[in-house]
Amino acid sequence: INDMKKYFSSSEHSYYAQSLFFVSIVIHKVKAFDLDTAILIDSDLKFESDINDLNKQFENFAENNVIGLARENQPVYRHLFSSYRSHNPGTRVGSPPPNGLSGFNSGVVLLNIKRMGSSSQYNELINPEVLQRMTKTYDFKGHLGDQDFFTLLSLEHEDLFYVLPCTWNRQLCVWWRDKGYEDVFDLYFKCNGKINIYHGNCNTPFPSS
């Protein structure tokens, strides 16, 4: 976790520098958790559906999927990978859904702990040398904890991740809309279908029922 903090928090005293925001990455190494699967959720969520239906999403995991997350609903990673994008025109990195690698949001995380423990591929990627190489390759400095790690990993190892439908983590924050991304914002923000979970990130109020 201390190695992760160097790459995925803005400073040692920042909010996302707390170890809590990195536990999901190595939860399979915590012997106290004798579980095959787990769901980690933020405290700023409003459920509109039975949480058991969220649990059923594990049934949709492909054979190699170990973690399930919804896409980030803002152009956060378009911004954070701007240097890489400028040197690699046409890249999928930071581009919007459905074909872009737009990054993940860790407000709702589905963890197949059993697979995390048995996946040699996943465990080989949790080491300082890999992190150093990948952050250098993509000219990336994160500040959002585990979701930065999962996002970075997904650029080269998409098969490790199940893309949770946006309706199970409908993020409401629009902070990036007026930060120079007005023309592309809706490509990231749109989410069609019945909303199962609202995520009031950025202290955004929930819609009235």
Side-chain angles (χ1 to χ4, degrees):
I1 285 178
N2 287 332
D3 288 325
M4 301 285 177
K5 291 180 181 181
K6 299 173 187 176
Y7 300 102
F8 307 121
S9 58
S10 56
S11 73
E12 62 178 326
H13 302 296
S14 65
Y15 180 70
Y16 284 101
Q18 299 179 61
S19 297
L20 171 68
F21 296 107
F22 296 88
V23 170
S24 63
I25 298 170
V26 292
I27 195 170
H28 59 294
K29 295 180 178 291
V30 181
K31 300 302 182 184
F33 288 97
D34 185 20
L35 299 169
D36 287 344
T37 61
I39 299 173
L40 304 186
I41 57 175
D42 281 1
S43 59
D44 55 349
L45 304 181
K46 180 182 180 184
F47 277 77
E48 299 286 343
S49 297
D50 191 330
I51 194 171
N52 188 51
D53 292 332
L54 173 61
N55 189 54
K56 290 177 181 177
Q57 289 290 317
F58 281 111
E59 299 172 7
N60 298 329
F61 276 38
E63 184 178 356
N64 292 330
N65 296 160
V66 298
I67 297 165
L69 303 110
R71 295 289 187 193
E72 172 61 49
N73 286 169
Q74 294 193 89
V76 174
Y77 293 103
R78 188 185 190 96
H79 181 81
L80 294 180
F81 287 111
S82 58
S83 176
Y84 179 83
R85 288 173 57 83
S86 68
H87 292 97
N88 296 272
T91 182
R92 296 172 63 213
V93 174
S95 294
N99 299 317
L101 298 172
S102 51
F104 291 119
N105 180 278
S106 59
V108 179
V109 187
L110 274 60
L111 301 167
N112 190 315
I113 299 175
K114 185 175 182 179
R115 288 189 186 178
M116 291 172 74
S118 62
S119 172
S120 58
Q121 181 186 28
Y122 180 76
N123 286 283
E124 287 169 2
L125 296 169
I126 308 177
N127 71 70
E129 290 182 3
V130 170
L131 294 177
Q132 185 177 40
R133 177 191 67 77
M134 292 192 72
T135 52
K136 184 177 181 179
T137 296
Y138 296 98
D139 196 10
F140 181 75
K141 178 65 173 89
H143 65 284
L144 295 170
D146 57 358
Q147 78 172 46
D148 284 337
F149 172 77
F150 294 139
T151 292
L152 190 63
L153 226 59
S154 72
L155 304 185
E156 297 183 1
H157 303 279
E158 292 181 65
D159 59 315
L160 289 174
F161 298 93
Y162 168 67
V163 179
L164 186 68
C166 63
T167 57
W168 285 104
N169 181 2
R170 183 27 170 160
Q171 302 136 54
L172 299 174
C173 180
V174 294
W175 191 88
W176 286 95
R177 184 162 58 191
D178 60 352
K179 303 298 186 296
Y181 295 100
E182 296 93 338
D183 57 334
V184 297
F185 185 84
D186 285 341
L187 297 177
Y188 297 84
F189 191 70
K190 66 180 178 182
C191 180
N192 300 321
K194 176 189 176 297
I195 304 302
N196 299 293
I197 298 176
Y198 284 109
H199 183 180
N201 48 345
C202 304
N203 295 315
T204 309
F206 298 118
S208 301
S209 299

